[in-house]
Amino acid sequence: MNIAESVSSPVVAPAHCEARVSQAHRIITQIVLVGSRVLGRAFTEAYKQAQASSNYARAQAKLNPNAASGRASLSNGMTLDEACKILNVKPPQGGQANMEEVMARFKKLFDQNDPQKGGSFYLQSKVLRARERIEAEVKPAMEKAAQEAEIKEGWKPKMYKDR
C-alpha cells in the first residue's frame, strides 16, 4: 500500500467506540430527564405549601380581624412592634398613638436615609413602611373618634351665600 491509497481511504472507527458514544448520549439524556422531573416535583410541592399557608393566613385573618396587631400584616409583612422599634416610638394603646411624634420621627429618619444624601434606599423604605403600619393600626380608631365627634356636635353643613 502506498501513501496515496492510505490517504484516500476513509477512516472508520471501530464498532465498540460508536456503541460507547451512543450510550453516553443515552446516559446524559436520562440524567437530564430525571433531574428535571425531580426539580419539577419540588417546585410543585413548594407552590402547594405556599398556597396552603396563604389560604390559612387569610382564613385566620377573616376569623379574627383584630389579631393582626401582634403579627405581620398580610399586605406589608411588618409587625406593629417592629414598626415602633424602627421609628423609636411607643406602641399605640387602644388604637391611640401620638401621631405628631410618629410623623416627626418619620420625617427625620426619612431625610437622614435619603439616597441622594448618601443614605440607604432600603432603610428609607423600611422607615416608610413602619409609618404606614402604625397609621394602619391607628386609622380605624381615629375615624371612629371623628364620627363620634361629628355625631356629638350634630350635623352642621357649611352654607355659602352667593354674592
Side-chain angles (χ1 to χ4, degrees), residues 35-53:
S36 63
R37 278 190 215 138
V38 168
L39 285 176
R41 287 181 185 154
F43 281 121
T44 303
E45 201 58 36
Y47 177 77
K48 287 178 184 177
Q49 287 178 359
Q51 190 68 24
S53 176

Side-chain angles (χ1 to χ4, degrees), residues 1 21 40 43 61 73 89-90 92 100-101 104 106 108 117 132:
M1 183 192 279
V21 170
F43 281 121
S73 70
V89 294
K90 293 179 183 176
E100 291 82 23
E101 180 185 3
F106 164 74
K108 179 182 175 190
K117 297 177 184 175
E132 289 174 347

